[in-house]
Short mmCIF file of all heavy atoms in Angstrom, two decimals:
data_model
loop_
_atom_site.label_atom_id
_atom_site.label_comp_id
_atom_site.label_asym_id
_atom_site.label_seq_id
_atom_site.Cartn_x
_atom_site.Cartn_y
_atom_site.Cartn_z
N PRO A 631 6.02 10.82 3.92
CA PRO A 631 6.77 10.44 5.12
C PRO A 631 6.59 11.46 6.24
O PRO A 631 6.62 12.68 6.01
CB PRO A 631 8.21 10.41 4.63
CG PRO A 631 8.11 10.12 3.17
CD PRO A 631 6.86 10.84 2.71
N ARG A 632 6.40 10.94 7.45
CA ARG A 632 6.30 11.80 8.62
C ARG A 632 6.83 11.05 9.85
O ARG A 632 6.12 10.88 10.84
CB ARG A 632 4.87 12.27 8.86
CG ARG A 632 4.76 13.49 9.77
CD ARG A 632 3.32 13.92 9.95
NE ARG A 632 3.19 15.17 10.68
CZ ARG A 632 3.21 15.28 12.02
NH1 ARG A 632 3.35 14.20 12.75
NH2 ARG A 632 3.09 16.46 12.61
N PRO A 633 8.08 10.60 9.80
CA PRO A 633 8.63 9.90 10.95
C PRO A 633 8.86 10.86 12.10
O PRO A 633 8.99 12.08 11.89
CB PRO A 633 9.96 9.36 10.42
CG PRO A 633 10.36 10.35 9.37
CD PRO A 633 9.08 10.77 8.73
N PRO A 634 8.87 10.38 13.33
CA PRO A 634 9.16 11.27 14.46
C PRO A 634 10.50 11.98 14.27
O PRO A 634 11.47 11.40 13.75
CB PRO A 634 9.20 10.33 15.66
CG PRO A 634 8.37 9.16 15.25
CD PRO A 634 8.60 9.00 13.78
N VAL A 635 10.53 13.23 14.70
CA VAL A 635 11.78 14.00 14.61
C VAL A 635 12.88 13.28 15.37
O VAL A 635 12.70 12.86 16.52
CB VAL A 635 11.58 15.42 15.16
CG1 VAL A 635 12.91 16.18 15.22
CG2 VAL A 635 10.56 16.18 14.34
N GLY A 636 14.05 13.11 14.72
CA GLY A 636 15.19 12.47 15.36
C GLY A 636 15.27 10.98 15.16
O GLY A 636 16.29 10.36 15.50
N ASP A 637 14.22 10.35 14.64
CA ASP A 637 14.27 8.92 14.35
C ASP A 637 15.34 8.62 13.32
O ASP A 637 15.62 9.45 12.44
CB ASP A 637 12.92 8.45 13.80
CG ASP A 637 12.10 7.69 14.83
OD1 ASP A 637 12.36 7.88 16.04
OD2 ASP A 637 11.20 6.92 14.44
N PRO A 638 15.96 7.43 13.38
CA PRO A 638 16.79 7.01 12.25
C PRO A 638 15.97 6.97 10.97
O PRO A 638 14.73 6.95 11.01
CB PRO A 638 17.25 5.61 12.67
CG PRO A 638 17.08 5.55 14.14
CD PRO A 638 15.91 6.44 14.46
N SER A 639 16.64 6.92 9.84
CA SER A 639 15.95 6.93 8.56
C SER A 639 14.92 5.80 8.48
O SER A 639 15.20 4.66 8.83
CB SER A 639 16.95 6.78 7.41
OG SER A 639 17.76 7.93 7.31
N HIS A 640 13.71 6.18 8.05
CA HIS A 640 12.68 5.19 7.75
C HIS A 640 12.77 4.82 6.27
O HIS A 640 13.19 5.63 5.44
CB HIS A 640 11.30 5.74 8.06
CG HIS A 640 10.98 5.81 9.52
ND1 HIS A 640 9.71 5.58 10.02
CD2 HIS A 640 11.75 6.07 10.60
CE1 HIS A 640 9.71 5.70 11.33
NE2 HIS A 640 10.95 6.00 11.71
N HIS A 641 12.36 3.60 5.95
CA HIS A 641 12.40 3.11 4.58
C HIS A 641 10.98 3.05 4.02
O HIS A 641 10.09 2.47 4.65
CB HIS A 641 13.05 1.73 4.53
CG HIS A 641 14.48 1.75 4.96
ND1 HIS A 641 14.85 1.83 6.30
CD2 HIS A 641 15.62 1.72 4.25
CE1 HIS A 641 16.17 1.84 6.39
NE2 HIS A 641 16.67 1.79 5.16
N TYR A 642 10.79 3.64 2.85
CA TYR A 642 9.47 3.72 2.22
C TYR A 642 9.47 2.86 0.96
O TYR A 642 10.19 3.16 0.00
CB TYR A 642 9.11 5.18 1.95
CG TYR A 642 9.02 5.95 3.24
CD1 TYR A 642 10.17 6.51 3.83
CD2 TYR A 642 7.82 6.05 3.94
CE1 TYR A 642 10.10 7.15 5.05
CE2 TYR A 642 7.74 6.70 5.16
CZ TYR A 642 8.89 7.24 5.71
OH TYR A 642 8.82 7.87 6.93
N HIS A 643 8.68 1.81 0.99
CA HIS A 643 8.64 0.83 -0.08
C HIS A 643 7.50 1.17 -1.04
O HIS A 643 6.31 0.99 -0.72
CB HIS A 643 8.44 -0.57 0.49
CG HIS A 643 9.61 -1.06 1.29
ND1 HIS A 643 10.42 -2.11 0.90
CD2 HIS A 643 10.12 -0.62 2.47
CE1 HIS A 643 11.36 -2.30 1.80
NE2 HIS A 643 11.20 -1.40 2.77
N PHE A 644 7.86 1.69 -2.22
CA PHE A 644 6.90 1.94 -3.30
C PHE A 644 6.78 0.64 -4.09
O PHE A 644 7.75 0.19 -4.72
CB PHE A 644 7.38 3.07 -4.20
CG PHE A 644 7.35 4.44 -3.55
CD1 PHE A 644 8.27 4.77 -2.55
CD2 PHE A 644 6.42 5.38 -3.93
CE1 PHE A 644 8.25 6.03 -1.96
CE2 PHE A 644 6.40 6.64 -3.33
CZ PHE A 644 7.31 6.96 -2.34
N GLN A 645 5.61 0.03 -4.07
CA GLN A 645 5.42 -1.30 -4.66
C GLN A 645 4.34 -1.24 -5.73
O GLN A 645 3.25 -0.68 -5.50
CB GLN A 645 5.00 -2.30 -3.58
CG GLN A 645 6.01 -2.39 -2.44
CD GLN A 645 5.38 -2.87 -1.13
OE1 GLN A 645 5.43 -4.04 -0.81
NE2 GLN A 645 4.78 -1.96 -0.40
N VAL A 646 4.64 -1.78 -6.89
CA VAL A 646 3.69 -1.78 -7.99
C VAL A 646 3.36 -3.23 -8.37
O VAL A 646 4.23 -4.10 -8.37
CB VAL A 646 4.24 -1.00 -9.21
CG1 VAL A 646 5.48 -1.64 -9.79
CG2 VAL A 646 3.17 -0.84 -10.27
N LEU A 647 2.08 -3.48 -8.65
CA LEU A 647 1.61 -4.79 -9.08
C LEU A 647 0.91 -4.64 -10.43
O LEU A 647 0.13 -3.69 -10.63
CB LEU A 647 0.60 -5.37 -8.09
CG LEU A 647 0.99 -5.43 -6.61
CD1 LEU A 647 -0.21 -5.92 -5.78
CD2 LEU A 647 2.18 -6.36 -6.40
N ALA A 648 1.16 -5.56 -11.35
CA ALA A 648 0.43 -5.63 -12.60
C ALA A 648 -0.64 -6.71 -12.46
O ALA A 648 -0.34 -7.84 -12.06
CB ALA A 648 1.37 -5.96 -13.76
N LEU A 649 -1.89 -6.38 -12.78
CA LEU A 649 -3.00 -7.30 -12.63
C LEU A 649 -3.64 -7.60 -13.98
O LEU A 649 -3.61 -6.76 -14.89
CB LEU A 649 -4.07 -6.73 -11.69
CG LEU A 649 -3.64 -6.25 -10.31
CD1 LEU A 649 -4.87 -5.82 -9.51
CD2 LEU A 649 -2.87 -7.33 -9.56
N ASP A 650 -4.28 -8.77 -14.07
CA ASP A 650 -4.99 -9.14 -15.30
C ASP A 650 -6.47 -8.78 -15.23
O ASP A 650 -7.26 -9.20 -16.09
CB ASP A 650 -4.82 -10.63 -15.60
CG ASP A 650 -5.42 -11.53 -14.52
OD1 ASP A 650 -6.04 -10.99 -13.57
OD2 ASP A 650 -5.26 -12.76 -14.63
N ILE A 651 -6.88 -7.99 -14.22
CA ILE A 651 -8.26 -7.57 -14.07
C ILE A 651 -8.32 -6.13 -13.57
O ILE A 651 -7.32 -5.56 -13.13
CB ILE A 651 -9.04 -8.45 -13.06
CG1 ILE A 651 -8.39 -8.38 -11.66
CG2 ILE A 651 -9.16 -9.88 -13.54
CD1 ILE A 651 -9.25 -8.96 -10.57
N LEU A 652 -9.54 -5.56 -13.65
CA LEU A 652 -9.87 -4.33 -12.94
C LEU A 652 -10.55 -4.73 -11.64
O LEU A 652 -11.40 -5.64 -11.63
CB LEU A 652 -10.81 -3.45 -13.77
CG LEU A 652 -10.19 -2.78 -15.00
CD1 LEU A 652 -11.29 -2.18 -15.87
CD2 LEU A 652 -9.21 -1.69 -14.58
N LEU A 653 -10.19 -4.11 -10.54
CA LEU A 653 -10.73 -4.49 -9.24
C LEU A 653 -12.05 -3.79 -8.97
O LEU A 653 -12.22 -2.61 -9.28
CB LEU A 653 -9.73 -4.14 -8.13
CG LEU A 653 -8.36 -4.80 -8.22
CD1 LEU A 653 -7.49 -4.38 -7.04
CD2 LEU A 653 -8.48 -6.32 -8.28
N GLN A 654 -12.99 -4.55 -8.41
CA GLN A 654 -14.28 -4.00 -8.00
C GLN A 654 -14.27 -3.85 -6.49
O GLN A 654 -14.50 -4.81 -5.76
CB GLN A 654 -15.41 -4.92 -8.46
CG GLN A 654 -15.45 -5.17 -9.96
CD GLN A 654 -15.66 -3.89 -10.75
OE1 GLN A 654 -16.49 -3.05 -10.38
NE2 GLN A 654 -14.91 -3.74 -11.84
N LEU A 655 -13.99 -2.66 -6.03
CA LEU A 655 -13.83 -2.40 -4.60
C LEU A 655 -14.65 -1.19 -4.19
O LEU A 655 -14.88 -0.29 -5.01
CB LEU A 655 -12.35 -2.17 -4.26
CG LEU A 655 -11.43 -3.38 -4.38
CD1 LEU A 655 -9.98 -2.95 -4.29
CD2 LEU A 655 -11.74 -4.39 -3.29
N PRO A 656 -15.05 -1.12 -2.92
CA PRO A 656 -15.81 0.04 -2.45
C PRO A 656 -14.92 1.27 -2.31
O PRO A 656 -13.69 1.17 -2.23
CB PRO A 656 -16.34 -0.41 -1.09
CG PRO A 656 -15.33 -1.42 -0.62
CD PRO A 656 -14.88 -2.14 -1.87
N LEU A 657 -15.56 2.43 -2.25
CA LEU A 657 -14.84 3.65 -1.94
C LEU A 657 -14.16 3.49 -0.58
O LEU A 657 -14.72 2.91 0.35
CB LEU A 657 -15.79 4.84 -1.88
CG LEU A 657 -16.55 5.18 -3.17
CD1 LEU A 657 -17.57 6.29 -2.90
CD2 LEU A 657 -15.59 5.59 -4.27
N GLY A 658 -12.93 4.00 -0.48
CA GLY A 658 -12.23 3.94 0.80
C GLY A 658 -11.61 2.59 1.11
O GLY A 658 -11.21 2.34 2.25
N ALA A 659 -11.52 1.69 0.12
CA ALA A 659 -10.89 0.39 0.36
C ALA A 659 -9.46 0.59 0.86
O ALA A 659 -8.78 1.55 0.50
CB ALA A 659 -10.90 -0.43 -0.92
N ASN A 660 -8.98 -0.34 1.69
CA ASN A 660 -7.63 -0.22 2.22
C ASN A 660 -6.69 -1.24 1.57
O ASN A 660 -7.10 -1.99 0.67
CB ASN A 660 -7.65 -0.38 3.75
CG ASN A 660 -8.22 -1.72 4.19
OD1 ASN A 660 -8.06 -2.75 3.52
ND2 ASN A 660 -8.88 -1.73 5.35
N ARG A 661 -5.47 -1.24 2.01
CA ARG A 661 -4.46 -2.14 1.44
C ARG A 661 -4.89 -3.59 1.46
O ARG A 661 -4.76 -4.31 0.46
CB ARG A 661 -3.14 -1.99 2.21
CG ARG A 661 -2.05 -2.99 1.84
CD ARG A 661 -1.07 -3.18 2.98
NE ARG A 661 -1.76 -3.60 4.19
CZ ARG A 661 -1.25 -3.49 5.42
NH1 ARG A 661 -0.06 -2.97 5.59
NH2 ARG A 661 -1.95 -3.88 6.47
N ASP A 662 -5.43 -4.04 2.60
CA ASP A 662 -5.81 -5.45 2.71
C ASP A 662 -6.97 -5.78 1.79
O ASP A 662 -7.05 -6.90 1.25
CB ASP A 662 -6.15 -5.78 4.16
CG ASP A 662 -4.91 -5.73 5.05
OD1 ASP A 662 -3.79 -5.69 4.51
OD2 ASP A 662 -5.07 -5.71 6.29
N ASP A 663 -7.91 -4.85 1.59
CA ASP A 663 -8.99 -5.07 0.63
C ASP A 663 -8.44 -5.25 -0.77
O ASP A 663 -8.87 -6.13 -1.53
CB ASP A 663 -9.95 -3.87 0.63
CG ASP A 663 -10.66 -3.67 1.96
OD1 ASP A 663 -10.93 -4.66 2.66
OD2 ASP A 663 -10.91 -2.50 2.32
N VAL A 664 -7.47 -4.40 -1.13
CA VAL A 664 -6.88 -4.46 -2.46
C VAL A 664 -6.14 -5.78 -2.66
O VAL A 664 -6.29 -6.45 -3.70
CB VAL A 664 -5.94 -3.26 -2.69
CG1 VAL A 664 -5.14 -3.43 -3.98
CG2 VAL A 664 -6.73 -1.96 -2.72
N LEU A 665 -5.35 -6.18 -1.68
CA LEU A 665 -4.57 -7.41 -1.83
C LEU A 665 -5.47 -8.64 -1.90
O LEU A 665 -5.20 -9.57 -2.66
CB LEU A 665 -3.58 -7.54 -0.68
CG LEU A 665 -2.45 -6.49 -0.65
CD1 LEU A 665 -1.51 -6.75 0.52
CD2 LEU A 665 -1.67 -6.48 -1.96
N ALA A 666 -6.55 -8.65 -1.12
CA ALA A 666 -7.47 -9.78 -1.17
C ALA A 666 -8.11 -9.89 -2.55
O ALA A 666 -8.27 -11.00 -3.08
CB ALA A 666 -8.54 -9.63 -0.09
N ALA A 667 -8.47 -8.74 -3.13
CA ALA A 667 -9.09 -8.77 -4.46
C ALA A 667 -8.09 -9.10 -5.56
O ALA A 667 -8.45 -9.66 -6.60
CB ALA A 667 -9.75 -7.42 -4.74
N ALA A 668 -6.82 -8.75 -5.34
CA ALA A 668 -5.78 -8.98 -6.35
C ALA A 668 -5.25 -10.40 -6.35
O ALA A 668 -4.59 -10.83 -7.32
CB ALA A 668 -4.63 -8.00 -6.13
N LYS A 669 -5.50 -11.14 -5.29
CA LYS A 669 -4.95 -12.50 -5.15
C LYS A 669 -5.32 -13.36 -6.35
O LYS A 669 -6.49 -13.45 -6.74
CB LYS A 669 -5.46 -13.15 -3.88
CG LYS A 669 -4.85 -14.51 -3.59
CD LYS A 669 -5.34 -15.07 -2.26
CE LYS A 669 -4.71 -16.43 -1.98
NZ LYS A 669 -5.18 -16.98 -0.67
#
């Protein structure tokens, strides 16, 4: 977390998914890459 100083509390959502496969993704894949492969 690194919210601006003085901001109201930010909420950090730690989310875990269980999958029935191992994902084949490139180095540096981002959240959207992961979700597309996990669909």
Side-chain angles (χ1 to χ4, degrees):
R632 198 179 187 277
V635 174
D637 256 22
S639 292
H640 285 215
H641 297 77
Y642 297 86
H643 293 247
F644 290 72
Q645 302 155 96
V646 64
L647 308 175
L649 306 184
D650 63 4
I651 60 167
L652 289 169
L653 301 181
Q654 302 299 318
L655 291 168
L657 299 174
N660 59 33
R661 173 205 56 199
D662 292 347
D663 297 327
V664 171
L665 293 182
K669 185 177 181 180

